């Protein structure tokens, strides 16, 4: 009996060492004072996410042996100033996926995920340890939206599932973030190079072939990470539909990079083009330049971005952001930031989710607060 029990325990121990698993709870909390001037109105208070969206996530991995790993991830944003979930009824709004990773063949993941084009935006923006600060011009001018312009000046008069017309403003929302029902394949890394491709199914339960193409996504990137810095390229396309039965397609492309001038100084930038093919077409482009300087216990960053539209007069905008971060530890920091967007007479681009009171007006904001990772 004793021999049988010892043998059984040995078999269980061998099995557990073969298929080790772990689950991690992680997150970020960011709260601070923020003041925003929207042109004809101001607001101030203790706000969530002036530096980075507060969030919590659960992720896990299981070693399946022979270089194969199973993994999952779920992430939800939090409005830390009032304790509410950050995005309505979508609980894991920042992602929910499961996948397999092979050291030889790469990885494949299914679910709600970042599209591949997101990563060249992220890795070529050095606005703090968390990157892509809401006060960064990458976020305010480039990724806050493709465009927000006076509807009367816009060549697009009929909106659909990819754009909207509300309160006299025509808007095209950014697409290079998360998407539902996405299948993403990522290659292994070869001498610093890696690539990703993604495909997102169309609208679920659609009754006709045209609507089935709505929300269909295709995206890809190619990245190079080296000691001297980063270079990335990406593309993204997303289908949409108009109530009248017409189709839409929004395409964008990006080239980005960061160069380490020294152990302390980084320069970074990108060039981004996009086009909406709809009942009427709209084309635009934007670019960003930035610099960051890292010290033993702090860092400072600043960047500038410019957006222009090819077929809409006086619809451009500019943005500037600067921030200082003091690191109390590897997980905790205090920060101060300033940002400004300037709009031409027909443009209405905002800052950190706050939009100008009217086209042609700008938005200015400053914030200081505490951020902690766990």
């Amino acid at each position: 009996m004793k021999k049988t029990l010892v043998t059984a325990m040995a078999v269980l121990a061998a099995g557990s060492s073969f298929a080790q698993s772990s689950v991690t709870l992680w997150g970020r909390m960011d709260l601070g004072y923020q003041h925003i001037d929207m042109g004809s109105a101001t607001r101030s208070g203790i706000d969530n996410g002036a530096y980075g969206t507060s969030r919590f996530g659960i992720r896990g991995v299981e070693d399946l042996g022979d270089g194969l790993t199973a993994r999952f991830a779920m992430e939800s944003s939090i409005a830390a100033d009032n304790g509410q979930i950050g995005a309505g009824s979508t609980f894991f709004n920042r992602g929910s996926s499961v996948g397999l990773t092979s050291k030889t063949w790469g990885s494949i993941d299914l679910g709600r995920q970042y599209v591949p084009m997101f990563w060249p935006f992220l890795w070529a923006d050095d606005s703090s340890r968390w990157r892509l600060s809401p006060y960064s011009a990458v976020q305010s001018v480039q990724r806050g939206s493709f465009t927000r312009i006076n509807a009367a000046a816009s060549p697009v008069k009929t909106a659909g599932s990819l754009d909207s017309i509300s309160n006299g403003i025509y808007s095209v929302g950014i697409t290079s973030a998360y998407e539902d029902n996405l299948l993403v394949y990522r290659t292994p890394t070869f001498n610093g190079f890696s690539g990703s491709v993604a495909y997102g199914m169309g609208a679920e339960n659609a009754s006709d072939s045209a609507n089935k193409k709505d929300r269909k996504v295709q995206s890809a990137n190619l990245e190079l990470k080296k000691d001297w810095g980063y270079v990335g390229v990406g593309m993204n396309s997303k289908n949409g539909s108009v109530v009248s039965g017409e189709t839409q397609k929004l395409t964008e492309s990006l080239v980005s990079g960061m160069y380490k001038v020294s152990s302390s100084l980084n320069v970074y930038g990108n060039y981004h083009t996009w086009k909406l093919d709809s009942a009427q077409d709209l084309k635009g482009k934007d670019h960003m330049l930035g610099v960051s300087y890292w010290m033993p216990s702090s860092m400072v960053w600043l960047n500038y971005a410019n957006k222009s539209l090819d077929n809409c007069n006086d619809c451009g905008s500019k943005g500037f952001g600067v921030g200082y971060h003091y690191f109390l530890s590897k997980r905790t920091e205090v920060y101060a930031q300033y940002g400004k967007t300037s709009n031409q007479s027909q443009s209405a681009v905002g800052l950190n989710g706050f939009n100008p009171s009217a086209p042609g007006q700008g938005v200015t904001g400053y914030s200081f607060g505490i951020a902690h990772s766990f």
Side-chain angles (χ1 to χ4, degrees):
M1 179 68 179
K2 183 182 291 187
K3 183 177 181 180
T4 302
L5 181 60
V6 171
T7 302
M9 293 177 65
V11 170
L12 289 173
S16 63
S17 64
F18 175 75
Q20 304 247 346
S21 63
S22 65
V23 176
T24 302
L25 174 66
W26 68 278
R28 298 173 176 175
M29 296 293 283
D30 168 36
L31 281 169
Y33 176 83
Q34 179 171 235
H35 176 82
I36 300 288
D37 185 338
M38 294 164 279
S40 300
T42 62
R43 52 92 59 209
S44 59
I46 301 300
D47 282 342
N48 164 73
Y51 166 32
T53 304
S54 296
R55 66 194 73 175
F56 77 93
I58 306 168
R59 56 190 173 217
V61 297
E62 181 185 16
D63 185 355
L64 302 176
D66 297 326
L68 186 64
T69 302
R71 63 183 180 182
F72 77 90
M74 298 180 290
E75 183 180 340
S76 178
S77 61
I78 308 166
D81 51 347
N82 57 28
Q84 296 180 1
I85 295 299
S89 60
T90 304
F91 189 85
F92 290 111
N93 57 298
R94 296 185 64 88
S96 56
S97 63
V98 64
L100 295 172
T101 300
S102 166
K103 293 181 179 179
T104 304
W105 302 105
S107 63
I108 186 166
D109 296 275
L110 298 90
R112 179 172 174 81
Q113 305 171 72
Y114 287 105
V115 297
M117 187 168 163
F118 170 80
W119 304 109
F121 270 121
L122 177 74
W123 294 114
D125 177 79
D126 206 31
S127 56
S128 75
R129 292 195 291 199
W130 290 4
R131 302 178 181 273
L132 289 179
S133 163
Y135 276 61
S136 167
V138 178
Q139 292 288 67
S140 61
V141 171
Q142 296 187 295
R143 300 192 70 253
S145 59
F146 283 107
T147 189
R148 292 188 80 256
I149 53 178
N150 187 350
S154 171
V156 182
K157 304 302 180 183
T158 305
S161 58
L162 300 181
D163 51 355
S164 64
I165 298 175
S166 178
N167 297 321
I169 298 296
Y170 172 77
S171 177
V172 183
I174 197 72
T175 63
S176 52
Y178 331 95
E179 293 290 352
D180 297 339
N181 306 319
L182 205 63
L183 186 155
V184 179
Y185 168 74
R186 184 175 182 86
T187 70
T189 299
F190 301 102
N191 195 27
F193 284 96
S194 63
S196 298
V197 293
Y199 179 80
M201 305 296 181
E204 297 175 336
N205 303 319
S207 59
D208 58 75
S209 59
N211 286 334
K212 286 179 181 178
K213 296 179 181 179
D214 195 8
R215 307 289 174 171
K216 187 175 180 180
V217 176
Q218 299 173 72
S219 185
N221 71 27
L222 180 63
E223 300 176 281
L224 174 63
K225 293 181 180 179
K226 289 287 192 178
D227 292 340
W228 49 261
Y230 171 88
V231 176
V233 296
M235 63 77 58
N236 200 71
S237 72
K238 185 173 183 177
N239 286 27
S241 61
V242 181
V243 175
S244 61
E246 299 166 337
T247 60
Q248 297 179 308
K249 187 172 185 180
L250 186 56
T251 57
E252 56 177 320
S253 60
L254 175 72
V255 178
S256 68
M258 182 171 69
Y259 180 69
K260 297 183 185 234
V261 179
S262 69
S263 59
S264 301
L265 180 64
N266 296 330
V267 295
Y268 54 96
N270 69 46
Y271 181 74
H272 178 223
T273 63
W274 56 272
K275 179 181 180 183
L276 175 68
D277 291 315
S278 189
Q280 302 86 22
D281 292 342
L282 188 64
K283 297 172 62 178
K285 55 183 176 292
D286 44 74
H287 64 268
M288 178 274 299
L289 291 172
V291 61
S292 61
Y293 188 80
W294 294 79
M295 294 158 278
S297 59
S298 63
M299 67 89 66
V300 61
W301 62 268
L302 61 91
N303 60 18
Y304 164 87
N306 182 292
K307 181 188 293 288
S308 62
L309 275 66
D310 293 354
N311 53 344
C312 181
N313 294 327
D314 298 319
C315 293
S317 56
K318 300 176 182 178
F320 170 80
V322 60
Y324 173 76
H325 301 253
Y326 184 79
F327 309 131
L328 299 173
S329 72
K330 290 183 178 180
R331 296 180 178 272
T332 305
E333 60 189 275
V334 292
Y335 64 86
Q337 301 179 119
Y338 173 85
K340 179 179 178 63
T341 61
S342 301
N343 292 298
Q344 293 182 335
S345 61
Q346 303 299 336
S347 181
V349 169
L351 172 70
N352 195 20
F354 297 96
N355 296 317
S357 304
Q361 295 182 345
V363 180
T364 302
Y366 63 85
S367 65
F368 51 88
I370 304 170
H372 175 74
S373 299
F374 61 89

